Amino acid sequence: MMVLTVLLAVLVGVSLGLLGGGGSILTVPLLAYVAGMDPKHAIATSLLVVGATSAVGAVSHARAGRVQWRTALLFGATSMVGAYGGGHLAKFIPGHALLIGFAVIMVATALAMLRGRRTDTAADPGRKLPLAKIAAIGLALGLVTGTVGAGGGFLVVPALVLLAGLAMPVAVGTSLVVIAMNSFAGLAGYLSVVHIDWALAGMVTGAAVVGGLIGARFASMVNPDLLRKAFGWFVLVMAAVILGEEVDPVVGYVAAALIGLAAAMTFACNHIAACPLRRISPRPTSAAGAV
């Protein structure tokens, strides 16, 4: 199981480097269900693995000019405060409840990413969010990060894409800076609650770093819209896995079946003109074509 854990950790890094998130979504279940850690130890170790991997991946994205530093540093600074507090708050919440809350947040975020932005209300990619708004969002995301052990990528990337109007590749690079700051702050809070197996954490982190370098190299080669949608479906699948493990296997099977059905219908409606769902949810008219 140790070898399998290390090998799967490479995929964690690829996810972080390619998507700017998903590392914790993979790492927490990996450590809890494959390595056999209890939820709180898995969450604390995940914060270390994801933080280190994100820091290394952020360097590659920064060299390619895919980091908006103003947003990253403000998001990161305010979210570190929330993450540190969340790490302390976790001592009062059962591990089982933490994982269920983790899955619920994943579902909400995935649906937002799949929906995307309407073209008539899309933010200007070059605009800057007000400092107060960035700080408030960062603080809230940090609190979630520190509490449920998510590095924040699956929340930060949608926030940067949907609210700040960043292109997906830039959102990915920027989120890695925020994730690293969040994760280390959350870890500092958790160290007062649990003790980490540093040997195992070191092996998993090393494998994830290798994967992160691989993912970062290919991040700019993937279509941004395709990347956003793939991210959304990926998060939904992982949410189904966690719900199946923590609530009931039947819940997981039903959730997986619904996700598969939704994916099939989405694919069909994107390729079949006669799809009835197009009448229910017509595509928004672009500003250029509007009268």
Side-chain angles (χ1 to χ4, degrees):
M1 298 305 289
M2 182 69 70
V3 174
L4 179 60
T5 299
V6 172
L7 291 176
L8 292 176
V10 176
L11 297 180
V12 171
V14 172
S15 168
L16 273 167
L18 187 62
L19 297 173
S24 56
I25 295 173
L26 282 172
T27 308
V28 172
L30 170 64
L31 296 174
Y33 306 134
V34 179
M37 292 184 180
D38 69 78
K40 290 188 178 181
H41 281 81
I43 288 173
T45 305
S46 170
L47 288 169
L48 172 63
V49 174
V50 173
T53 307
S54 299
V56 173
V59 173
S60 297
H61 282 274
R63 288 177 176 174
R66 295 193 296 267
V67 173
Q68 189 177 98
W69 288 104
R70 173 183 177 274
T71 300
L73 294 178
L74 184 56
F75 248 104
T78 55
S79 62
M80 285 178 74
V81 176
Y84 183 76
H88 281 287
L89 179 63
K91 70 177 71 174
F92 304 108
I93 305 174
H96 176 73
L98 288 174
L99 289 177
I100 293 176
F102 186 60
V104 171
I105 294 172
M106 289 166 65
V107 172
T109 303
L111 293 177
M113 288 301 286
L114 290 172
R115 181 182 179 185
R117 294 179 298 166
R118 295 183 179 181
T119 55
D120 56 345
T121 58
D124 178 4
R127 80 178 181 119
K128 296 181 178 179
L129 280 177
L131 296 180
K133 188 172 184 179
I134 294 177
I137 295 173
L139 186 63
L141 294 181
L143 184 62
V144 174
T145 292
T147 304
V148 302
F154 72 98
L155 294 172
V156 176
V157 172
L160 294 176
V161 172
L162 303 176
L163 299 178
L166 298 185
M168 188 66 179
V170 177
V172 168
T174 303
S175 75
L176 287 174
V177 177
V178 178
I179 293 169
M181 299 173 72
N182 274 358
S183 297
F184 290 132
L187 175 62
Y190 255 94
L191 288 178
S192 65
V193 181
V194 301
H195 296 286
I196 292 179
D197 181 343
W198 295 103
L200 174 60
M203 287 188 290
V204 174
T205 300
V209 166
V210 172
L213 294 174
I214 295 173
R217 181 174 292 273
F218 291 99
S220 62
M221 303 179 185
V222 183
N223 179 277
D225 188 57
L226 178 63
L227 194 59
R228 173 179 57 80
K229 292 180 179 178
F231 186 95
W233 288 116
F234 167 75
V235 173
L236 278 179
V237 170
M238 293 309 301
V241 171
I242 294 176
L243 289 174
E245 291 286 344
E246 299 301 322
V247 180
D248 188 274
V250 175
V251 174
Y253 294 141
V254 171
L258 291 175
I259 292 169
L261 178 62
M265 293 176 65
T266 300
F267 179 82
C269 283
N270 285 336
H271 294 80
I272 301 175
C275 176
L277 291 180
R278 290 191 174 190
R279 300 176 183 177
I280 300 175
S281 301
R283 296 180 178 179
T285 304
S286 64
V291 178

